[in-house]
Amino acid sequence: MSTVLDALQSSAITFTALRRDLHQHPEIGFQEFRTSDIVAQRLRDWGYEVTLGLGGTGVVGQLRKGSGTRRLGLRADMDALPIQEATGLPHASCHEGLMHACGHDGHTAMLLAAAEYLASKGNFQGTLNLIFQPAEESLGGARKMMEDGLFERFPCDAVFAMHNMPGFPQGQLLLREGATMASSENILVHIEGKGSHGAMPHLGADPVVAGASIVMALQTIVSRNVPPLQTAVVTVGAFQSGVANNVIPQTATLKLSVRALDRGVRLLLRERIVDLVEAQAKSFGVTARVEFLPGYPVLVNTAAETALAREVAIDLVGPANVVQQTEPLTGSEDFAYMLEKVPGSYLFIGNGDASTGGHGACMVHNPNYDFEDRNIPIGAAYWVHLAERFLA
Ligand SMILES: [Zn+2]
Ligand SMILES: [Zn+2]
């Protein structure tokens, strides 16, 4: 066991308590006021230069040591989800309808544990930028921080992040070079028809029938347009129209979630959706407009940085506990924005599987999920070793 891990095992009680306190007080995206105050206060106590207000509630802690010129960014997310917690744990959420159901409380605690160690005992030369971002869940807090000049004000030669993952053994580290998380597109299709009496459909233009045909036509994109060896998902999650049996409504709205693991496929999906919707609408005598809401890009881990992360992971937990090239996921992550700008790598830490059971093995975004506290020293030690290697 590394001496770093030893030291972090001894501070684990403190950071477990901190993690559970954050868990009890979850805050939704861009409202992480209490959380960012705690983060900022701790970082200041340990000698970091702290900048608040990037992307609203984002925090950056900067620490320079020696004369090194390299600059490293390590990122954690801080936001919770609008879920009513059902774990019944002593540290369960005190906030009605809000819950740390994705483990961002744990990500924040792991990076803070590393921050304390790196400030007091860290052996590195250069600039360390610790990035605590708001609003990872769908709201694009990473992009907001970047719009506020994150990488202009805190230039980084590489940037890294970590997410816990239920379904994998506790403490296992999973890496991947290349596309690792899918792009995510939230799309609305607004269909405008002509309302009529349900008994006289020939006098109207029915948006329900047009919408039904659009839903079916959209299913052909993955089967007929996307190359078979590529990954793509087109889900129609909502179809809203009408209220009464005997009324042909005026409008219908479809809500789509669209995923891809390749930037080219992402563009193909966008193009085909617009083409199909417009052509289908025309054929039914209605009009339709496709609205693209802000989405997330494909998360692509760069080769050199992933190789370094692998070496660090193997040295820390041994080759048997490292998956060197894990399968990509069709979930999304706004760290993808940072990786579009700066090379780096995003890895997963196993939160527990069927062999351990319990709340850690429960999938994220489920009301019975909880972050596995035994991962705090492991995740923190990974950050410390990575910083010491990158800023050697
Ligand atoms: Zn999540
Ligand atoms: Zn998450």
Side-chain angles (χ1 to χ4, degrees), residues 77 79-81 101-104 107 136-138 163 332-333 364-365:
D77 40 15
D79 57 318
L81 284 157
C102 205
H104 299 181
H107 305 163
E136 191 286 320
E137 300 287 356
S138 306
H163 205 294
S332 303
E333 159 65 66
V364 290
H365 293 211

Side-chain angles (χ1 to χ4, degrees), residues 113-131:
E116 184 196 35
Y117 183 97
L118 285 163
S120 59
K121 306 189 204 66
N123 180 21
F124 70 89
Q125 292 249 352
T127 303
L128 180 65
N129 294 309
L130 304 185
I131 302 164

Side-chain angles (χ1 to χ4, degrees), residues 178-183 263 297-301 333-336 339 346:
T180 300
M181 302 280 281
S183 60
R263 287 163 183 159
V298 183
L299 185 148
V300 183
N301 287 330
E333 159 65 66
D334 75 348
F335 186 63
L339 290 178
Y346 176 89

Side-chain angles (χ1 to χ4, degrees), residues 78-293:
M78 304 187 289
D79 57 318
L81 284 157
I83 293 176
Q84 181 64 40
E85 180 157 355
T87 62
L89 289 164
H91 60 271
S93 169
C94 306
H95 295 176
E96 187 76 14
L98 279 181
M99 178 188 175
H100 268 297
C102 205
H104 299 181
D105 48 347
H107 305 163
T108 300
M110 289 191 291
L111 192 54
L112 282 176
E116 184 196 35
Y117 183 97
L118 285 163
S120 59
K121 306 189 204 66
N123 180 21
F124 70 89
Q125 292 249 352
T127 303
L128 180 65
N129 294 309
L130 304 185
I131 302 164
F132 292 86
Q133 80 149 77
E136 191 286 320
E137 300 287 356
S138 306
L139 298 169
R143 195 183 66 239
K144 285 282 190 316
M145 284 189 90
M146 291 166 68
E147 286 167 5
D148 283 350
L150 175 64
F151 292 125
E152 290 75 29
R153 293 165 72 182
F154 305 97
C156 293
D157 299 307
V159 64
F160 295 83
M162 173 169 12
H163 205 294
N164 76 95
M165 193 48 68
F168 292 96
Q170 183 258 318
Q172 187 179 60
L173 298 176
L174 303 98
L175 300 100
R176 181 177 173 85
E177 182 191 322
T180 300
M181 302 280 281
S183 60
S184 168
E185 217 85 72
N186 293 312
I187 299 174
L188 300 179
V189 178
H190 304 281
I191 305 167
E192 180 85 29
K194 186 181 173 201
S196 176
H197 195 295
M200 294 168 236
H202 59 294
L203 300 179
D206 191 344
V208 175
V209 174
S213 185
I214 289 172
V215 171
M216 296 311 292
L218 291 174
Q219 306 311 309
T220 65
I221 299 176
V222 173
S223 70
R224 302 294 88 181
N225 302 130
V226 174
L229 295 180
Q230 296 276 9
T231 298
V233 179
V234 177
T235 290
V236 181
F239 184 159
Q240 295 166 337
S241 185
V243 285
N245 299 43
N246 59 350
V247 177
I248 290 172
Q250 180 85 9
T251 61
T253 305
L254 307 179
K255 296 182 178 178
L256 279 57
S257 178
V258 177
R259 314 278 173 144
L261 280 165
D262 175 271
R263 287 163 183 159
V265 172
R266 184 187 187 201
L267 293 176
L268 171 72
L269 293 171
R270 292 172 69 114
E271 278 173 22
R272 287 301 293 148
I273 287 168
V274 171
D275 288 351
L276 278 176
V277 166
E278 287 177 354
Q280 290 284 318
K282 188 161 190 286
S283 74
F284 287 94
V286 301
T287 60
R289 180 170 60 85
V290 180
E291 181 186 358
F292 289 90
L293 304 177

